[in-house]
Amino acid sequence: MAAVEVDAKAHWITKADIDTVDFNRIYRFFVIFSPVDGLSSRQKSFSDYGWDTPWRKPFSLRRQLNGLSNNNELIFSAHKYDNMDGELIKADLVEFPPINIMKERVCIYNGQRTQYLSVFFHIRNALAHGRFNIVEGTFIMEDVTAKRKWMAAGSKTCSARMVIRTATLINWIDLIEGGARELETNKI
């Protein structure tokens, strides 16, 4: 297992066909008003949206966010950079940009309190640093951090790769901005 070396210049990035209404809403939520502590002076916390205990029952925000994706196994999480290569293999995100952009998936270094806070952290970085493309209504994003000593000059360490539909990002924003609501369960 090893950290994953990527080109610092990200030659895979091309001009993105940006729908300004959706893109502006996504950028504002994840970059300017990021719910992740310490990323923005204009941060809006989950409690600002009415989510005082979002990750606990009866709200289970994680399960609600998962339910808005087209993949039941959305998040692949490494707790060490040295485990990213294995998680990228599981997520089918070794080749980047990926060929399959129909299936949503996220592979992250999990450095926050919850996996979704880590996902939001990496989305923020990918957008803020321009490491994304938008292809057929799908965001293809990558986040990086400083290179390791053994890596070549001009490279970085991969900390996240993500394939998420624009509609999913908008649905996540709608869910959070709509305020706390209990997880709907099918009781038979």
Side-chain angles (χ1 to χ4, degrees):
M1 298 280 208
V4 176
E5 182 176 3
V6 297
D7 186 347
K9 296 203 187 265
H11 298 290
W12 56 270
I13 297 172
T14 59
K15 280 190 170 184
D17 181 22
I18 297 173
D19 174 36
T20 55
V21 173
D22 286 345
F23 180 79
N24 287 340
R25 185 155 183 231
I26 289 165
Y27 189 86
R28 287 173 49 87
F29 181 85
F30 288 104
V31 178
I32 297 171
F33 300 115
S34 175
V36 181
D37 289 339
L39 292 184
S40 174
S41 295
R42 296 178 184 263
Q43 174 192 4
K44 288 184 83 174
S45 68
F46 284 98
S47 62
D48 291 335
Y49 294 112
W51 294 86
D52 291 326
T53 57
W55 312 112
R56 295 189 202 132
K57 291 181 180 179
F59 306 107
S60 303
L61 182 56
R62 180 181 195 277
R63 287 182 58 198
Q64 291 189 56
L65 291 167
N66 282 347
L68 296 173
S69 168
N70 71 4
N71 184 359
N72 292 334
E73 193 176 359
L74 177 68
I75 300 174
F76 299 83
S77 176
H79 294 283
K80 295 180 180 180
Y81 287 109
D82 289 340
N83 296 340
M84 278 297 290
D85 59 345
E87 295 303 314
L88 286 168
I89 291 168
K90 291 178 195 173
D92 188 25
L93 288 171
V94 173
E95 184 177 331
F96 209 75
I99 294 169
N100 177 3
I101 63 167
M102 300 309 290
K103 180 179 169 186
E104 293 180 296
R105 57 217 188 269
V106 172
C107 183
I108 56 163
Y109 165 70
N110 188 5
Q112 300 294 317
R113 291 187 331 255
T114 71
Q115 285 183 335
Y116 268 102
L117 285 176
S118 291
V119 170
F120 293 171
F121 173 90
H122 293 296
I123 290 172
R124 180 264 177 212
N125 287 348
L127 294 173
H129 300 290
R131 285 187 86 93
F132 68 91
N133 270 348
I134 304 171
V135 179
E136 298 174 22
T138 299
F139 277 77
I140 300 165
M141 298 178 271
E142 181 177 64
D143 187 18
V144 296
T145 190
K147 75 179 186 79
R148 300 291 184 96
K149 292 178 185 178
W150 54 266
M151 292 180 176
S155 59
K156 298 271 188 181
T157 303
C158 177
S159 60
R161 286 185 172 165
M162 301 167 278
V163 176
I164 308 173
R165 294 175 303 141
T166 300
T168 298
L169 294 170
I170 294 295
N171 287 337
W172 286 354
I173 294 167
D174 288 343
L175 174 63
I176 293 166
E177 288 180 343
R181 70 176 194 204
E182 291 186 18
L183 175 67
E184 294 177 15
T185 56
N186 295 330
K187 296 179 182 175
I188 298 174

